Every structure is written in structure tokens, then in C-alpha cells.
Amino acid sequence: MKRRDFVAGVTGAVVGGAATYGVLKSKKPAEKKSAMPAPAVNKGLKEWRLVTTWPKNFPGLGTGANLLGELITKGSDGRLTVKVFGAKEVVPAFESLDAVANGTVQMGHGAPYYWKGKQAAAQFLASVPFGMTAQEVNAWYQWGNGQKLADEVYAKMGCKFFPSGNTGVQAGGWFNKEMNSLDDYKGLKMRIPGLGGEVVKAAGGNVINLPGGEIPPALQSGALDATEWVGPYNDLAFGLYKSAKYYYFPGWHEPATVLDNFINMKAWESLPSDLQAVVQTANAAVNQIVLSEFVARNNAALSTLVNKHNVQLRGFPDEVLKGLGGLAKQVMNDIVSKDPLSRKVMDDYVKFRADAAEWSSRSEGAYLPARQKAL
Ligand code: CA
């Protein structure tokens, strides 16, 4: 389906909901209505601002936030208009959540691990090293306890939460040397966020946290030896191949990174239930559409990186992955031992992962090698 058709479809469906809401709520006889248009405030029109951690219009991530704003605006027939801003247009990327929580703006779009300094548990909501795939984690959010737990974490930060996009399995990152053993992480200056960053730190790396827009110059200047960002589609857009030669797979640290839409709690609670449904539905749509975009575009970008820019692809050796896996367990156990909410989220996540992994090994896990053999 073309995006335009999709938007039209959603708009039609949600406008129907809004009309129903109007009928149910309106007690006034039609003849008493003024012929003059009511002032915007009386009609309950709202104009919200959405800040993002992404460079403006950045492929997949920034455009995902744009689509969210568009779907809410059109889906509400303009009763709730959302204007989207890139990083630094209103506030710097990593101040987005503060700006939403304190009511400077009403909405934000980023990734939960950016807020780990406020709530350590947020890291487990973004992506867990050797954690669930996109399909599995969406099942956790939609059919397990994921949404409920995330709401609990975000309520502590003054926000309502929705999953709002997913990158799928990311790439392992860009390195200026080959990574042959765990020792190669020692002293490595690497940009890597969230729990993955904690694991690299435990391996002896020097982890530097930067918003996306600041990565390319840092890698070019040598302030970073290595970085991860997202995957071929986004990494090509940033030109990371210009500054690092080796591109590693897989993204063990981010097997399915959940993007977040965080909404000022009072602003969220001020919405009538039909507009809340519009926001929820728009996020569910964006969550899937962003993931599909990465699936659709990553391989073409990877071909360009290899064939046009001569990027060297590498897989992490088994020994490195095993070592990182052991460190991941230690790091996560350490975090949850200090924070009961992190423990609550991780315990539920790990339990869901065990079930999901068992089924995945019988389904996708069995099917993918079978397809390779058959084709
Ligand atoms: Ca990443």
C-alpha cells in the first residue's frame, strides 16, 4: 500500500471515531448552535509540539516521527495538530525528555535508553544485548507485560509511553581495526548507547555517548575509534564509511531497538478518549511502518557500502560474542541488583524471551536455514 493510501485509510477510520464521540457527547439541540464558527479553544483544538532526538527528517527515524505527527493531525481531522522538530530546533537531542516532562513541549520521539540516567529500567525497554528480535519484542509490548511495565517506568519521568518504531537487528558497528578478541575492546573509544555500552565498558572500552548528529565528525576527528549507529540504511546516510574501514555484524547489542513516543502526562490525560485512541493507533502504525522501512532498505544500502565504497564486512568471532554474552549477564545483574524497577522489567523480559525464543527456534530459526538450502 502506498503511504498516501494508508494515511487516507487511517484518516477515514479515525474521523469516524471522532464523529461518534461528538454524537455521544453532544447534548445540545442542533438549532441552538451558533452560526458563527466557535473559537478554536472552545472546539477543543490542540496544537502540540513534538521534539525528537534525531536530525530533522533523518531517514527512517526522523521521518518516522514526521509520520507520527502527520497521522495524529490527519487522524484527528486537525483537532490535535502535531508539529515535529528535529534535534536542536527546540532543545538539544538529549534534553527532549526533560522538555516534554516539564511541559515546554507535549511530545517527544527518541529511544528509551537515552533516558537511562533518569530511570535505569528504561534501558531494558529499548534493546537488550542478545535480547529479543523485533517480532518478539512487539509481542511483549502488545501481548505481554511490556506496555504496562514501560508505562510504570515512564510515569516516574512524568510521561506516557508508546513504542513508536523499531530498527530491527542493527549492525555491530564501524571499527578502524579488526576485532579478533575481547581484548581488542580495551581502550577503544566507542560510541555505543544503552546496555550495549555498559557491556563494552565492562570489556575495557572507553564508551562515549553522543546523539546521532554528532557521530560523523567525532569519528572523522579521531575522538572516536569506533561507533555503532543503526544499520546500513542509516549508516550510509551519515557517511560513516568515510572514517572507519571495517563494518561488523551482527548488532548483538541492539537486536531490535524500540523507539519511544513520550507524552507529557498532563497533556496526555487532557485528551478525550477518542484522541487518545488516535495517538495510540498512530503509534501502532508508525511502530510497524518504521520497522518495515528498515527491512525494505537495508540491503540496498549495504550493497552500496560494499560495491561503491569498498567497505569491509566482518562478523564478530564466536569467542568475542561469547565473551560479550558473559559480560552482558554480569552487567545486567549488576544494574538490577541496585534498582528494583529494573529488576522487575528485566525479570519479565527474560521470562518472555525464553518462551519467545523457543517458538522462534521452531519458526524463523528453522525456516531461514531451510530457505537458504532450498533456494
Ligand atoms: Ca544503535
Side-chain angles (χ1 to χ4, degrees):
M1 200 193 305
K2 285 178 186 166
R3 177 170 289 183
R4 195 179 50 205
D5 298 338
F6 175 82
V7 171
V10 168
T11 305
V14 180
V15 166
T20 306
Y21 177 84
V23 168
L24 289 175
K25 294 285 176 186
S26 176
K27 302 280 184 198
K28 288 181 186 171
E31 64 269 21
K32 287 195 178 172
K33 278 185 184 166
S34 164
M36 293 293 287
V41 66
N42 288 350
K43 290 197 326 199
L45 297 183
K46 291 175 188 289
E47 291 178 3
W48 280 12
R49 295 195 293 170
L50 187 163
V51 293
T52 71
T53 61
W54 321 118
K56 192 167 180 65
N57 301 326
F58 193 75
L61 306 170
T63 54
N66 292 349
L67 179 62
L68 180 64
E70 188 184 326
L71 288 178
I72 294 172
T73 302
K74 291 186 178 174
S76 68
D77 199 21
R79 287 168 58 219
L80 174 57
T81 62
V82 176
K83 190 172 180 201
V84 180
F85 296 87
K88 293 185 188 168
E89 284 193 301
V90 179
V91 288
F94 288 166
E95 289 173 26
S96 298
L97 192 124
D98 281 338
V100 170
N102 70 24
T104 303
V105 298
Q106 293 77 22
M107 283 185 139
H109 195 264
Y113 49 42
Y114 291 152
W115 325 123
K116 70 178 182 181
K118 299 178 187 303
Q119 285 295 326
Q123 298 171 94
F124 296 91
L125 302 171
S127 208
V128 169
F130 305 101
M132 289 194 263
T133 64
Q135 188 156 287
E136 292 167 346
V137 85
N138 280 332
W140 183 59
Y141 273 111
Q142 290 164 2
W143 295 95
N145 295 322
Q147 177 72 52
K148 196 172 77 181
L149 289 164
D151 276 336
E152 190 176 340
V153 174
Y154 276 71
K156 285 182 178 290
M157 301 190 283
C159 295
K160 167 70 183 161
F161 164 93
F162 286 108
S164 191
N166 196 302
T167 63
V169 183
Q170 298 203 355
W174 299 84
F175 296 81
N176 62 9
K177 63 176 184 182
E178 288 191 297
M179 301 298 285
N180 297 315
S181 78
L182 208 54
D183 280 349
D184 288 326
Y185 278 102
K186 285 189 178 142
L188 189 80
K189 291 176 287 180
M190 182 167 187
R191 182 271 182 190
I192 174 169
L195 292 166
E198 298 301 320
V199 174
V200 168
K201 218 183 276 177
N206 179 6
V207 172
I208 299 159
N209 238 331
L210 294 174
E214 294 172 31
I215 297 173
L219 192 63
Q220 199 172 16
S221 72
L224 293 175
D225 302 316
T227 188
E228 69 79 64
W229 173 224
V230 182
Y233 177 41
N234 284 165
D235 295 4
L236 174 65
F238 264 166
L240 298 176
Y241 59 87
K242 293 174 193 161
S243 313
K245 186 174 170 188
Y246 300 105
Y247 197 21
Y248 270 79
F249 290 87
W252 56 271
H253 62 301
E254 296 192 58
T257 301
V258 175
L259 311 180
D260 59 358
N261 174 219
F262 38 99
I263 305 168
N264 176 279
M265 192 58 91
K266 280 188 188 152
W268 168 250
E269 286 170 351
S270 78
L271 292 181
S273 60
D274 65 324
L275 289 185
Q276 286 189 342
V278 170
V279 172
Q280 181 181 1
T281 309
N283 270 303
V286 169
N287 196 46
Q288 181 58 48
I289 291 169
V290 169
L291 174 62
S292 303
E293 184 171 4
F294 283 110
V295 174
R297 299 195 197 276
N298 266 332
N299 203 55
L302 186 62
S303 294
T304 302
L305 287 169
V306 171
N307 298 320
K308 191 171 166 198
H309 302 299
N310 301 315
V311 166
Q312 299 285 309
L313 303 187
R314 294 287 185 275
F316 289 109
D318 289 352
E319 184 212 322
V320 171
L321 291 173
K322 268 188 203 163
L324 292 169
L327 289 174
K329 275 186 199 158
Q330 285 174 27
V331 161
M332 289 193 280
N333 283 330
D334 189 43
I335 292 169
V336 302
S337 73
K338 294 174 195 152
D339 179 39
L341 187 52
S342 291
R343 180 177 293 285
K344 190 175 173 185
V345 175
M346 189 185 86
D347 284 354
D348 195 79
Y349 182 102
V350 167
K351 191 165 170 281
F352 198 94
R353 177 178 62 183
D355 269 344
E358 213 169 303
W359 173 241
S360 290
S361 72
R362 301 266 177 212
S363 51
E364 268 75 8
Y367 172 68
L368 292 175
R371 183 171 66 184
Q372 276 198 317
K373 279 180 206 157
L375 290 181

